[in-house]
Coordinates of all heavy atoms in Angstrom, one line a residue:
Chain B
C179 N -23.9 25.0 7.5 CA -23.0 25.1 8.7 C -22.8 23.8 9.4 O -21.9 23.6 10.2 CB -23.6 26.1 9.7 SG -23.9 27.7 8.9
V180 N -23.6 22.7 9.1 CA -23.6 21.4 9.7 C -23.6 21.5 11.2 O -22.8 21.0 11.9 CB -22.4 20.6 9.2 CG1 -22.7 19.1 9.5 CG2 -22.1 20.8 7.8
V181 N -24.6 22.3 11.7 CA -24.9 22.4 13.1 C -26.4 22.1 13.3 O -27.2 22.4 12.4 CB -24.6 23.7 13.7 CG1 -23.1 23.9 13.8 CG2 -25.2 24.9 12.9
R182 N -26.7 21.6 14.5 CA -28.2 21.4 14.8 C -28.9 22.8 14.9 O -28.3 23.8 15.4 CB -28.3 20.8 16.2 CG -28.1 19.3 16.2 CD -28.5 18.7 17.5 NE -28.1 17.3 17.6 CZ -28.9 16.3 17.6 NH1 -30.2 16.5 17.6 NH2 -28.5 15.0 17.7
C183 N -30.1 22.8 14.5 CA -30.9 24.0 14.5 C -32.1 23.7 15.5 O -33.0 23.0 15.1 CB -31.5 24.3 13.1 SG -30.2 24.5 11.9
E184 N -32.0 24.3 16.7 CA -33.0 23.9 17.7 C -33.9 25.0 18.0 O -34.9 24.8 18.7 CB -32.2 23.4 18.9 CG -31.7 22.0 18.7 CD -30.8 21.5 19.8 OE1 -30.1 22.3 20.5 OE2 -30.7 20.3 19.9
E185 N -33.7 26.2 17.4 CA -34.6 27.3 17.7 C -35.7 27.4 16.6 O -35.4 27.4 15.4 CB -33.9 28.7 17.7 CG -34.7 29.8 18.1 CD -34.0 31.2 17.8 OE1 -32.8 31.2 17.7 OE2 -34.8 32.2 17.8
F186 N -37.0 27.4 17.1 CA -38.1 27.4 16.1 C -38.7 28.8 16.1 O -38.9 29.4 17.2 CB -39.1 26.4 16.5 CG -38.7 25.0 16.1 CD1 -37.8 24.3 16.9 CD2 -39.3 24.3 15.0 CE1 -37.4 23.0 16.5 CE2 -38.9 23.1 14.6 CZ -38.0 22.4 15.4
V187 N -39.1 29.3 15.0 CA -39.8 30.6 14.9 C -41.1 30.4 14.0 O -41.1 29.6 13.1 CB -39.0 31.7 14.3 CG1 -37.9 32.1 15.3 CG2 -38.4 31.3 13.0
E188 N -42.1 31.1 14.4 CA -43.4 31.0 13.6 C -43.2 32.1 12.5 O -42.8 33.2 12.7 CB -44.6 31.4 14.5 CG -45.9 31.1 13.8 CD -47.1 31.3 14.6 OE1 -47.0 31.5 15.9 OE2 -48.2 31.5 14.0
I189 N -43.6 31.7 11.3 CA -43.5 32.6 10.1 C -44.9 32.6 9.5 O -45.8 31.9 9.8 CB -42.5 32.1 9.1 CG1 -42.8 30.6 8.8 CG2 -41.1 32.2 9.6 CD1 -42.1 30.1 7.6
G190 N -45.1 33.7 8.6 CA -46.3 33.8 7.9 C -47.5 34.1 8.8 O -47.3 34.8 9.8
P191 N -48.7 33.5 8.6 CA -49.0 32.6 7.5 C -49.1 33.3 6.2 O -49.1 32.6 5.1 CB -50.3 32.0 7.9 CG -51.0 33.0 8.7 CD -49.9 33.8 9.4
E192 N -49.2 34.6 6.1 CA -49.3 35.3 4.8 C -47.9 35.5 4.3 O -46.9 35.5 5.0 CB -50.1 36.6 5.0 CG -51.5 36.4 5.3 CD -52.3 37.8 5.4 OE1 -51.7 38.8 5.0 OE2 -53.5 37.7 5.8
G193 N -47.9 35.8 3.0 CA -46.6 36.1 2.4 C -46.8 36.5 0.9 O -47.9 36.9 0.5
V194 N -45.8 36.3 0.1 CA -45.9 36.7 -1.3 C -45.4 35.5 -2.2 O -44.7 34.7 -1.7 CB -45.1 37.9 -1.7 CG1 -45.6 39.2 -1.0 CG2 -43.6 37.7 -1.4
I195 N -45.9 35.5 -3.4 CA -45.4 34.5 -4.4 C -43.9 34.9 -4.7 O -43.6 36.0 -5.0 CB -46.2 34.5 -5.6 CG1 -47.6 34.0 -5.3 CG2 -45.6 33.6 -6.7 CD1 -48.6 34.0 -6.5
S196 N -43.1 33.9 -4.6 CA -41.7 34.1 -5.0 C -41.4 33.6 -6.4 O -41.0 34.3 -7.3 CB -40.8 33.4 -4.0 OG -39.5 33.3 -4.4
T197 N -41.8 32.3 -6.7 CA -41.7 31.8 -8.0 C -42.9 30.9 -8.3 O -43.1 29.9 -7.6 CB -40.4 30.9 -8.2 OG1 -39.3 31.7 -7.8 CG2 -40.2 30.5 -9.7
P198 N -43.7 31.2 -9.3 CA -44.8 30.3 -9.6 C -44.5 29.5 -10.9 O -43.8 29.9 -11.7 CB -46.0 31.3 -9.9 CG -45.2 32.5 -10.5 CD -43.8 32.5 -10.0
D199 N -45.1 28.3 -10.9 CA -45.0 27.5 -12.2 C -46.3 26.7 -12.3 O -46.8 26.1 -11.4 CB -43.8 26.6 -12.1 CG -43.5 25.9 -13.4 OD1 -43.6 26.6 -14.4 OD2 -43.2 24.7 -13.4
V200 N -46.7 26.6 -13.6 CA -48.0 25.9 -13.8 C -47.6 24.5 -14.4 O -46.8 24.4 -15.3 CB -48.9 26.6 -14.8 CG1 -50.2 25.8 -15.0 CG2 -49.2 28.0 -14.2
V201 N -48.2 23.4 -13.8 CA -47.8 22.1 -14.2 C -49.1 21.4 -14.9 O -50.2 21.5 -14.4 CB -47.4 21.2 -13.0 CG1 -47.0 19.8 -13.4 CG2 -46.3 21.9 -12.2
Y202 N -48.8 20.7 -16.0 CA -49.9 20.2 -16.8 C -50.2 18.7 -16.7 O -51.0 18.2 -17.4 CB -49.7 20.6 -18.3 CG -49.8 22.1 -18.4 CD1 -48.7 23.0 -18.4 CD2 -51.1 22.8 -18.6 CE1 -48.8 24.3 -18.5 CE2 -51.2 24.1 -18.8 CZ -50.1 24.9 -18.7 OH -50.2 26.3 -18.8
Y203 N -49.4 18.1 -15.9 CA -49.6 16.6 -15.7 C -49.4 16.4 -14.2 O -48.9 17.3 -13.5 CB -48.6 15.8 -16.5 CG -47.2 15.9 -15.9 CD1 -46.7 14.9 -15.1 CD2 -46.4 16.9 -16.2 CE1 -45.5 15.0 -14.5 CE2 -45.1 17.0 -15.7 CZ -44.7 16.0 -14.8 OH -43.4 16.2 -14.3
A204 N -49.8 15.2 -13.7 CA -49.7 14.9 -12.3 C -49.1 13.5 -12.1 O -49.4 12.6 -12.8 CB -51.0 14.9 -11.6
S205 N -48.1 13.4 -11.2 CA -47.6 12.1 -10.8 C -48.3 11.6 -9.6 O -48.3 12.2 -8.6 CB -46.1 12.3 -10.5 OG -45.4 12.7 -11.6
P206 N -49.0 10.5 -9.8 CA -49.7 9.9 -8.6 C -48.6 9.5 -7.5 O -47.5 9.2 -7.8 CB -50.4 8.6 -9.1 CG -50.3 8.7 -10.6 CD -49.1 9.6 -10.9
D207 N -49.0 9.6 -6.3 CA -48.2 9.1 -5.2 C -47.9 7.6 -5.3 O -48.8 6.9 -5.4 CB -48.9 9.4 -3.9 CG -48.0 9.2 -2.7 OD1 -47.4 8.1 -2.5 OD2 -47.8 10.1 -1.9
P208 N -46.6 7.2 -5.3 CA -46.3 5.8 -5.6 C -46.8 4.9 -4.4 O -47.0 3.7 -4.6 CB -44.8 5.8 -5.7 CG -44.3 7.0 -5.0 CD -45.4 8.1 -5.2
L209 N -47.0 5.5 -3.2 CA -47.4 4.7 -2.1 C -48.9 4.6 -1.9 O -49.4 3.7 -1.4 CB -46.8 5.3 -0.8 CG -45.2 5.3 -0.8 CD1 -44.7 6.1 0.4 CD2 -44.7 3.9 -0.7
T210 N -49.6 5.7 -2.4 CA -51.1 5.7 -2.2 C -51.8 5.7 -3.5 O -53.0 5.4 -3.5 CB -51.5 6.9 -1.4 OG1 -51.2 8.1 -2.2 CG2 -50.8 7.1 -0.1
A211 N -51.1 5.9 -4.6 CA -51.7 6.0 -5.9 C -52.7 7.2 -6.0 O -53.3 7.4 -7.0 CB -52.5 4.8 -6.3
E212 N -52.7 8.1 -5.0 CA -53.6 9.3 -5.1 C -53.0 10.3 -6.1 O -51.8 10.4 -6.2 CB -53.6 10.0 -3.7 CG -54.7 9.4 -2.8 CD -54.7 10.1 -1.5 OE1 -54.6 11.3 -1.4 OE2 -54.9 9.4 -0.5
T213 N -53.9 10.9 -6.8 CA -53.4 11.9 -7.7 C -54.1 13.2 -7.5 O -54.8 13.4 -6.6 CB -53.5 11.4 -9.2 OG1 -52.8 12.2 -10.0 CG2 -54.9 11.2 -9.6
R214 N -53.9 14.2 -8.4 CA -54.4 15.5 -8.2 C -55.0 16.0 -9.5 O -54.7 15.5 -10.6 CB -53.3 16.5 -7.7 CG -52.3 16.6 -8.8 CD -51.2 17.7 -8.4 NE -50.3 17.2 -7.4 CZ -50.2 17.8 -6.2 NH1 -50.8 18.9 -5.9 NH2 -49.4 17.3 -5.3
E215 N -55.7 17.1 -9.4 CA -56.3 17.8 -10.6 C -55.2 18.5 -11.4 O -54.2 18.9 -10.8 CB -57.3 18.8 -10.2 CG -58.5 18.3 -9.4 CD -59.6 17.9 -10.3 OE1 -59.9 18.6 -11.3 OE2 -60.2 16.8 -10.1
T216 N -55.3 18.6 -12.6 CA -54.4 19.4 -13.4 C -55.1 20.4 -14.2 O -56.3 20.2 -14.5 CB -53.6 18.5 -14.4 OG1 -54.5 17.8 -15.2 CG2 -52.6 17.6 -13.7
P217 N -54.5 21.5 -14.6 CA -53.2 21.9 -14.2 C -53.2 22.4 -12.8 O -54.2 22.7 -12.2 CB -52.9 23.1 -15.2 CG -54.2 23.7 -15.5 CD -55.2 22.5 -15.5
Y218 N -52.0 22.4 -12.2 CA -51.9 22.9 -10.8 C -50.7 23.9 -10.8 O -49.8 23.8 -11.7 CB -51.8 21.8 -9.8 CG -50.5 20.9 -9.9 CD1 -49.4 21.2 -9.1 CD2 -50.5 19.8 -10.7 CE1 -48.3 20.4 -9.1 CE2 -49.4 19.0 -10.7 CZ -48.3 19.3 -9.9 OH -47.2 18.5 -10.0
C219 N -50.7 24.7 -9.8 CA -49.6 25.7 -9.7 C -48.7 25.4 -8.6 O -49.0 25.5 -7.4 CB -50.2 27.1 -9.5 SG -49.0 28.4 -9.7

Side-chain angles (χ1 to χ4, degrees):
Chain B
C179 305
V180 203
V181 288
R182 277 190 192 249
C183 302
E184 288 172 331
E185 185 190 346
F186 284 76
V187 292
E188 190 179 344
I189 53 168
E192 293 184 5
V194 295
I195 292 176
S196 168
T197 308
D199 188 44
V200 181
V201 184
Y202 293 92
Y203 71 95
S205 297
D207 188 304
L209 299 169
T210 64
E212 275 180 39
T213 189
R214 66 173 74 238
E215 299 273 318
T216 55
Y218 65 97
C219 187

